Amino acid sequence: MFDPATTALLRAVLDEVCENVSRSETGARTHVASKILEAATRGETSPDNLKQVGREALSAAPTM
């Protein structure tokens, strides 16, 4: 789907955006990851823009 460099970028963005989210919070992390992937699928590759998408998704993420 994505080349290795883009995949690494997406993983790094997810890790940075979710740095204060427990790994056990799978709902929130999944929500953020899906929004970042949606943006990347639309062609967004700017790290800053992807981080913004991720932060917005995190603020709207489901909580337990």
Side-chain angles (χ1 to χ4, degrees):
M1 181 172 189
F2 295 110
D3 63 64
T6 302
T7 301
L9 169 65
L10 297 176
R11 184 176 303 277
V13 167
L14 177 63
D15 287 344
E16 183 174 330
V17 169
C18 293
E19 67 185 348
N20 294 320
V21 178
S22 168
R23 292 235 180 237
S24 66
E25 291 288 333
T26 56
R29 293 179 68 85
T30 300
H31 180 73
V32 172
S34 99
K35 295 301 181 182
I36 291 170
L37 282 171
E38 285 176 16
T41 300
R42 291 190 308 268
E44 183 57 66
T45 57
S46 161
D48 289 335
N49 290 347
L50 290 170
K51 288 175 193 173
Q52 182 61 35
V53 167
R55 286 190 289 269
E56 290 170 6
L58 184 58
S59 70
T63 58
M64 293 186 66

